[in-house]
Amino acid sequence: MAERLALFATTARGTEDLLAEELKEFGARRIRQDRGGVRFMASLDEALKVCLWSRIAMRVLYPLGEFEAHGAEGLYEAVASVPWEEHLTPDTTFAVEATLKDSEHSHTGFVALKVKDAVVDRMRDKQGARPDVDPRNPDVRVVAHLVRERLSLSLDLCGEPLHRRGYRVRPTPAPLKETLAAALLRAAGYTGEEALVDPMCGSGTILIEGGLIARRRAPGIARDFAVEKWPHLGARARELLEDLRADARRNERKVAVPILGFDKDPEALEAARRNVKAAKLAEEILLEEGDATKLPPLPASGGLLLTNPPYGDRLGSGGQKGMKSFYFKLGDSLRAQAGWRVWVLSGNPAFESAFHSRPRSRRDLWNGPIACTLLGYSARGGELKSEAPLGMPQEPLDVAPVRPEDEGEEQG
């Protein structure tokens, strides 16, 4: 591989500019936003820093190329043209992950099988032996993305997606991905220097991500990365990561601001407690049972109140009328908190009018397959703390990414 690698980091749609800012902080160069991700150049050291420290990226991919792939035979021939012997050895295990969009093929499993066949046949021809497939814990993970007849092939530096931090031991229905929660916090200007409250905390993801930021803890500190097992980069990657991890641990700090979570559902609150404990933030995050529409007065110091209220009829009977009533009461409750900036991720078009307050800023993004809007409201009373104006994110280029985190895709 070249001294500087051409890489692609995926992210939720609508957060591409936030990821681009983050990558710039890690030293990446030639940063270009695409739909569903960001392309960039980085040294191996910088790429590993992205794997370890990125709070927003879902995957970090090393693209091998893009090809025209017509039919099953064209797919096979395209994959077989890649010099896999530069990335694998007969002793290397690998797995193939395929995604399709508007493809003539109807099953990701068929595409993944064709890719696998082409890889092992090429290796057998070039090196006299084939590597084994290990779908659970491969040394090298091959990512194939087929849009119509355009095939993109990449290697995944991380292995497991980066949102799997390891602390979600007890999920709740419709939880936020960890990376999206971190993106919301960045969009709201949260740096860990002010108090944080989530009045509908669910399984605690927003609070935990806020706690990691306040603690200055690398989100990938407790996990390994696939690149550490790559035949030609693994030894160097392990050496660099050892230093990066040691440096990350040295620079953690104590949390000096309150981080509070409320939820009226005892089961959700128990899930949050377990997840907070798994994240080793039990001393930093306080959880209490409480109704978001009847919040007690929060600390007068003010801070950031960020929440992800229900999008549909998950509060009981009443349908959309019931949701509007809930949003109206929520608005009254949250506006009563003087000095607190309020940010809300809304997935219901009725939210904004029912909340009955004009947002200072707004951002359109996607929570999985759901189109949402992140709305920011100024603090009531007192001075407004540092809040970067958000506005609309930079319009990403509408090009086929290597591996988008997009709605409407079949994944396998």
Side-chain angles (χ1 to χ4, degrees), residues 203-399:
S203 60
T205 308
I206 289 174
L207 299 172
I208 293 172
E209 290 300 315
L212 294 177
I213 293 170
R215 181 85 187 192
R216 290 184 183 165
R217 180 179 297 163
I221 194 68
R223 59 168 289 169
D224 297 326
F225 301 101
V227 67
E228 297 180 72
K229 297 188 286 185
W230 287 10
H232 307 299
L233 278 182
R236 179 60 177 154
R238 290 191 296 272
E239 180 182 344
L240 290 170
L241 277 167
E242 184 177 353
D243 291 339
L244 287 172
R245 289 177 177 126
D247 186 62
R249 292 188 178 98
R250 280 194 300 270
N251 285 287
E252 284 195 22
R253 64 176 182 178
K254 292 185 177 180
V255 176
V257 294
I259 301 177
L260 312 173
F262 301 90
D263 206 288
K264 63 186 294 185
D265 182 352
E267 290 188 10
L269 212 55
E270 177 60 23
R273 289 194 177 99
R274 292 198 181 188
N275 294 337
V276 165
K277 183 178 179 181
K280 298 181 180 178
L281 291 171
E283 294 183 3
E284 290 81 4
I285 297 174
L286 176 64
L287 299 169
E288 295 183 3
E289 188 169 339
D291 187 339
T293 65
K294 302 173 184 177
L295 275 184
L298 298 176
S301 59
L304 172 64
L305 191 154
L306 173 62
T307 195
N308 176 36
Y311 303 162
D313 187 20
R314 290 199 285 117
L315 298 177
S317 61
Q320 189 71 335
K321 184 178 180 180
M323 292 305 300
K324 290 181 179 179
S325 176
F326 168 71
Y327 294 149
F328 183 83
K329 293 175 182 177
L330 181 65
D332 280 349
S333 174
L334 301 191
R335 281 191 299 274
Q337 305 296 336
W340 286 81
R341 299 182 295 124
V342 174
W343 286 68
V344 179
L345 180 64
S346 167
N348 188 323
F351 174 85
E352 193 169 345
S353 61
F355 193 69
H356 205 61
S357 185
R358 185 182 297 277
R360 179 176 184 268
S361 57
R362 58 189 305 121
R363 171 184 291 266
D364 294 328
L365 49 75
W366 290 80
N367 179 8
I370 304 172
C372 297
T373 306
L374 178 62
L375 302 166
Y377 301 87
S378 298
R380 183 182 71 81
E383 288 190 9
L384 181 65
K385 295 191 176 183
S386 60
E387 177 180 353
L390 189 60
M392 292 298 293
Q394 179 180 339
E395 183 67 21
L397 300 174
D398 193 10
V399 300

